[in-house]
């Protein structure tokens, strides 16, 4: 049997880990970096770039560089998040034939699982290079807020990348596994995950080797890149003030500014002040112009304080959902590179009234947890049983446009619930069931998970037939629905059309296309 | 960001002075002649040429100025200094876009240079590194696109990767890289 890897497929950066001799090990890429940017690009001459190279030309080739595909995967094109992404991204986001969001770059249209597959394939390659053997199985993590379609699409992405996805695990849950590895005791843990592009907060309970997620919440448009943008804006403003030149329309200058801003942000986590030096950034009437600015930690904190405080509002919501006060939290775990910032750590510590645990590396902890889970699945280790919750309520649309919840959010998974439905007209021979995920009482305000038609109902007066519909959420958080006619005991035929996911034929076609491209590259 | 005419002239004047300071008199003169190709009445360029012991071309924008630039460029190319010849040719070609001989010469030198650059970078495998300290960089006179290429030189990135992420025409990126090498700013190791 081959090695099983754990992959943190992040919005901004991805990370891969494996267990070696029972100990988790994060795998560095060929450049020595333990994280790889989750970016994919096509250059003007048709070259495909993934990771660090894609990131280095993300601004000069913005229209053909995809970032944060994770915000689009599994979502309908008309969803609020996709429409917001359209405003923020230079690359083209278009409607797919399944009403899903697709990405157009380099003259080609890609599905979101396809784009994520480029990243996963790169992580697989990194692992194979390090381990010196093929890798075909993985555990992949997703934000706790992901719904069924997003999780299924992430599995599809793994498949396209040549990986059998053994489990989809929530990121904060994976982090808790890394923290709880070889530890004992009963504790309630807050996992504050501030990554490059998303923010998640989860409240977990660890007891005798069992991890149960009590509540989770987040914001898919809040992360470290927002911090970078504030610094870039600060630098642009200062340069315009001193030199009278607006660099915001200069792609080359912006690329350098973005890279410098991110570096300055990271350096300010360990230093009080840094110099940003960008020689020959522009030309003036008297010759070359240089950008040379000192940024202090205090300045940076002033630029981003509202962002940091904004995360606490989400934390408050999650605490309410869990039915806990701050005093009920035993440990606080920080996850995501942005939590290295002292002000973030201080803010979190002040809120919870305790210092966050620093024993785990925030950049790598999710991948480590995924690797532990991978090993648990392969060895069938019952000592660390993982329980998770569904982040969104599940139900159906009922007469009058209402939403009837059948499984409340934050219910432990796996879970199965049934409900009996009936007809609304005499001699009605079929019913259409629309399965939704969300929290609104109005059906159309929730996400359509899928819909099916149950046909062949015996002629009867309205209200008489009893159709038992069962909803099942598996350990991956993926939903399946079945139906049974109680009168006859027969399983009636149903058709579930999940929106936004790929068919087997589509997945196979994509795999063949990508393999063909790989052959062409080697020639 | 493309240079304006004024910016280009300012840069060429300064470059010529740098080269003059390095005793590269012919190359310095080439820069100042390029200025005169752009602005035949430019007094400073004329003064510099005279100070260096050269005879400036006659005043007024005449086709002869362009031909002289071409002749200078071809002479440099023949002497194996295609790097120096190219910018002269480019300036002359821009001044006379209908001159087919000029355009052909430009393309010939460009093609020759591209092959030479590729060979000298190990066909893209070399990993250039910066030779001067950051504080010393400011003494040079570079346009923003050279600054951009320089920002990607880190001793780790291969030349072919540098070209890819620059988004620039491969020849332009290489030409800038070798310009940085000639100035002693970077080292293109094999």
């Amino acid at each position: 049997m081959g090695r099983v890897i754990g992959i943190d497929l992040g919005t901004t950066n991805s990370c891969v880990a494996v267990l070696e001799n029972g100990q988790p090990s994060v795998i560095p890429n060929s450049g020595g970096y333990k994280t790889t940017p989750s970016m994919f690009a096509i250059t003007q001459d048709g070259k495909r770039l993934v990771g660090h190279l894609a990131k280095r030309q993300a601004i000069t080739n913005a229209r053909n560089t995809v970032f944060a595909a994770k915000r689009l995967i599994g979502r309908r094109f008309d969803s609020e998040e996709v429409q917001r992404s359209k405003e923020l991204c230079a690359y083209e986001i278009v409607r797919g034939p399944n009403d899903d969001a697709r990405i157009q770059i380099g003259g080609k249209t890609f599905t979101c699982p396809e784009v994520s597959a480029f990243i996963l394939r790169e992580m697989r390659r990194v692992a194979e290079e390090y381990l010196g053997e093929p890798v075909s199985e993985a555990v992949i993590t997703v934000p706790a807020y992901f719904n069924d379609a997003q999780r299924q699409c992430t599995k599809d992405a793994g498949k396209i990348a040549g990986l059998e996805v053994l489990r989809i695990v929530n990121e904060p849950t994976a982090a808790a596994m890394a923290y709880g590895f070889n530890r004992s005791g009963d504790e309630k843990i807050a996992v504050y995950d501030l990554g490059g592009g998303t923010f998640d907060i989860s409240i977990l309970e660890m007891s005798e080797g069992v991890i149960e997620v009590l509540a989770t919440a987040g914001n898919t448009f809040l992360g470290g890149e927002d911090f970078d943008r504030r610094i870039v804006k600060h630098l642009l403003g200062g340069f315009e003030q001193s030199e009278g030149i607006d660099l915001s329309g200069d792609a080359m200058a912006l690329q350098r500014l973005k890279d410098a801003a991110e570096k300055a942000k990271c350096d300010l986590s360990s230093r009080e002040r840094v110099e940003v030096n960008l020689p020959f950034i522009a030309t003036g009437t008297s010759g070359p112009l240089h950008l040379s600015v000192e940024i202090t930690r205090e300045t940076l904190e002033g630029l981003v304080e509202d962002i940091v405080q904004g995360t606490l509002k989400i934390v408050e919501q999650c605490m309410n959902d869990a039915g806990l006060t701050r005093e009920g939290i035993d440990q606080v775990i920080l996850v995501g590179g942005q939590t290295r910032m002292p002000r973030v750590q201080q803010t979190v510590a002040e809120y919870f009234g305790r210092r966050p645990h620093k024993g785990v590396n925030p950049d790598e902890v999710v991948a480590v947890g995924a690797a532990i889970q991978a090993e648990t699945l392969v060895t069938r280790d019952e000592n660390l049983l993982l329980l998770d919750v569904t982040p969104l309520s599940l139900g159906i649309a009922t007469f009058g446009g209402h939403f009837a919840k059948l499984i409340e959010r934050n219910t432990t998974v796996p879970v199965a619930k049934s409900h009996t439905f009936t007809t609304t007209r005499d001699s009605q021979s079929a019913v259409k069931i629309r399965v939704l995920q969300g929290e609104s009482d109005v059906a159309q305000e929730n996400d359509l998970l899928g819909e099916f038609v149950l046909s062949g109902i015996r002629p009867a007066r309205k209200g008489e037939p009893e159709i038992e519909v069962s909803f099942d959420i598996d350990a991956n958080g993926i939903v399946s629905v079945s139906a049974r006619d109680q009168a006859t005991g027969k399983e009636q035929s149903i058709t579930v059309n999940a929106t936004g996911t790929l068919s087997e034929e589509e997945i196979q076609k994509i795999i063949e296309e990508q393999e063909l491209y790989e052959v062409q590259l080697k020639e | 960001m493309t240079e304006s005419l004024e910016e280009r002239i300012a840069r060429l004047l300064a470059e010529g002075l740098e080269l003059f300071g390095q005793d590269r008199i012919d190359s310095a003169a080439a820069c100042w002649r390029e200025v005169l190709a752009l602005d035949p009445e430019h007094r400073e360029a004329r003064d510099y040429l005279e100070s260096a012991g050269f005879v400036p071309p006659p005043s007024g924008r005449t086709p002869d100025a362009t031909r002289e630039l071409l002749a200078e460029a071809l002479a440099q190319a023949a002497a194996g200094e295609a790097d120096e010849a190219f910018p002269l040719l480019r300036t002359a070609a821009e001044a006379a876009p209908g001159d087919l001989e000029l355009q052909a010469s430009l393309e010939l030198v460009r093609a020759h240079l591209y092959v030479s650059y590729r060979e000298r970078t190990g066909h893209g495998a070399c990993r250039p590194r910066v030779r001067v300290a950051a504080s010393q960089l400011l003494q040079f006179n570079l346009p923003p696109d050279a600054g951009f290429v320089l920002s990607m030189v880190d001793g780790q990135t291969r030349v072919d990767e540098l070209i890819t992420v620059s988004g620039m025409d491969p020849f332009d990126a290489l030409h800038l890289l070798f310009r940085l090498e000639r100035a002693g700013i970077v080292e293109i190791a094999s």
Side-chain angles (χ1 to χ4, degrees), chain A residues 5 7 14-16 36 119-127:
Chain A
I5 56 177
I7 300 177
S14 294
C15 183
V16 58
T36 298
I119 314 302
L120 289 171
R121 190 186 295 272
E122 176 66 11
M123 305 316 292
R124 176 186 162 198
R125 191 192 64 76
V126 165

Side-chain angles (χ1 to χ4, degrees), chain A residues 122-306:
Chain A
E122 176 66 11
M123 305 316 292
R124 176 186 162 198
R125 191 192 64 76
V126 165
E128 287 179 339
E129 212 168 271
Y130 176 83
L131 295 170
E133 59 182 276
V135 171
S136 60
E137 294 177 311
V139 165
I140 301 176
T141 60
V142 296
Y145 223 76
F146 260 24
N147 64 17
D148 177 82
Q150 290 167 304
R151 289 166 194 268
Q152 184 58 56
C153 285
T154 302
K155 281 191 86 172
D156 290 345
K159 195 170 179 179
I160 294 168
L163 292 166
E164 183 190 347
V165 181
L166 301 182
R167 181 67 58 87
I168 295 286
V169 175
N170 285 335
E171 286 154 12
T173 307
M177 288 198 75
Y179 170 66
F181 185 59
N182 288 338
R183 292 174 189 264
S184 58
D186 295 351
E187 292 176 311
K188 287 197 176 51
I189 301 167
V191 181
Y192 180 101
D193 182 348
L194 186 57
T198 60
F199 171 64
D200 277 323
I201 176 71
S202 297
I203 309 299
L204 313 178
E205 183 167 34
M206 283 180 58
S207 176
E208 297 174 356
V210 174
I211 304 175
E212 183 177 350
V213 180
L214 301 178
T216 186
N219 183 339
T220 54
F221 281 90
L222 195 157
E225 294 211 320
D226 297 293
F227 291 60
D228 297 344
R229 270 192 281 276
R230 294 287 175 92
I231 300 174
V232 170
K233 192 175 170 186
H234 173 74
L235 294 173
L236 285 171
F239 192 78
E240 186 167 8
Q241 198 167 35
S242 62
E243 305 293 345
I245 293 177
D246 176 12
L247 293 174
S248 60
D250 182 345
M252 282 187 187
L254 276 179
Q255 181 72 63
R256 295 175 70 185
L257 280 162
K258 169 72 167 66
D259 293 341
E262 186 180 350
K263 184 172 184 310
K265 178 189 72 174
C266 294
D267 289 346
L268 283 170
S269 289
S270 54
R271 291 158 59 186
E272 291 288 334
R273 57 190 70 241
V274 297
E275 284 271 341
V276 175
N277 284 311
L278 300 174
F280 313 105
I281 194 79
T283 303
T285 50
S286 56
L289 296 176
H290 316 293
L291 187 148
S292 182
V293 172
E294 182 186 79
I295 302 180
T296 64
R297 186 185 287 177
E298 189 183 350
T299 300
L300 171 60
E301 289 173 355
L303 291 172
V304 302
E305 182 63 13
D306 61 311

Side-chain angles (χ1 to χ4, degrees), chain A residues 190 192 199 201 203 308-321 324-329 332 334 343-356:
Chain A
Y192 180 101
F199 171 64
I201 176 71
I203 309 299
V308 177
Q309 292 301 320
T311 65
L312 293 185
K313 291 179 187 156
I314 301 170
V315 172
E316 194 70 38
Q317 178 197 335
C318 192
M319 294 290 288
N320 290 337
D321 285 346
L324 289 173
T325 62
R326 304 174 200 189
E327 291 73 30
I329 299 296
V332 178
L334 296 179
R343 181 62 186 142
V344 170
Q345 295 178 7
Q346 180 190 6
T347 302
V348 173
E350 283 172 358
Y351 177 86
F352 285 104
R354 60 181 61 251
R355 293 166 71 87

Side-chain angles (χ1 to χ4, degrees), chain B residues 4-5 8 13 22 30 70 72 85 104 110 133 153 164 166-167 169:
Chain B
S4 67
L5 179 63
R8 192 166 169 188
L13 286 173
Q22 295 169 20
L70 172 60
E72 175 79 26
R110 181 187 167 109
V153 174
T164 297
S166 73
D169 174 88

